Amino acid sequence: VKAQGRRYVHAPPGYVCPACELVAGRNPAGEATTQADVVYRAPRALAFVSARFWPNNPGHVVVVPTRHYENIFDLSGTAALAVHLLAQRVALAMKDAYACGGISTRQHNEPAGQQTLWHYHVHVFPRYPGDGLYASDSAPTTEEERRPYADALRRSLGAPAAAEG
Ligand SMILES: [Zn+2]
């Protein structure tokens, strides 16, 4: 990709990336997210239920590449494909598991773009008529609040196929 080569880095020195910790099978230190939130592992991408819920869109999912890229500026084409194929798979699973009316994705870069996790990620939101997603804000959740959403998505997603990218 021609755009690669200029990097915009905001992760502080010594950053222990929570997404990379999840990919490695560990629970990220100091984060609410644990392995119990992971709903799908593809060879190049991983999906987990977000630790923060929007009031009318509970159970939204975050999809990350298994390799570390901070943002859209340094993302590889291979990782972009893997992340968006998994986002699509999650979206279809959400339609079944949550019976939502629609799906929205959101992706943020740099502090001005409201990025706070310094590992490229795509949010996949279940949408409902009049849900006010863009006019509302998120709140932290407990593992118990997230579990039914993670369980329902895992049931709908099934196990990864061996040949998947
Ligand atoms: Zn990372």
Side-chain angles (χ1 to χ4, degrees):
V1 177
K2 192 89 167 140
Q4 284 184 278
R6 282 187 75 179
R7 300 196 66 218
Y8 299 90
V9 175
H10 298 277
Y15 182 60
V16 178
C17 177
C20 286
E21 289 289 282
L22 274 185
V23 168
R26 293 186 287 268
N27 293 332
E31 300 280 334
T33 298
T34 71
Q35 293 294 320
D37 298 306
V38 174
V39 295
Y40 201 85
R41 286 178 178 273
R44 292 185 178 85
L46 175 143
F48 59 95
V49 172
S50 174
R52 300 184 70 87
F53 284 6
W54 266 254
N56 298 319
N57 310 81
H60 97 269
V61 166
V62 176
V63 181
V64 298
T66 55
R67 281 191 61 184
H68 183 87
Y69 304 93
E70 179 163 322
N71 50 39
I72 196 169
F73 307 114
D74 62 357
L75 186 68
S76 76
T78 303
L81 179 62
V83 165
H84 285 269
L85 286 174
L86 183 50
Q88 180 186 49
R89 181 179 282 266
V90 167
L92 286 163
M94 254 179 204
K95 288 290 292 175
D96 282 343
Y98 299 175
C100 50
I103 297 288
S104 290
T105 60
R106 289 165 92 169
Q107 199 279 315
H108 308 292
N109 304 280
E110 300 194 276
Q114 295 181 309
Q115 183 179 13
T116 54
L117 166 63
W118 306 115
H119 182 124
Y120 178 88
H121 57 286
V122 172
H123 297 262
V124 182
F125 286 92
R127 298 302 307 275
Y128 307 91
D131 62 17
L133 174 64
Y134 295 93
S136 57
D137 207 354
S138 63
T141 56
T142 64
E143 199 168 316
E144 290 66 38
E145 288 172 315
R146 299 192 297 275
R147 185 175 300 122
Y149 295 93
D151 286 347
L153 283 177
R154 272 191 292 266
R155 274 195 300 275
S156 183
L157 283 160
E164 217 174 320

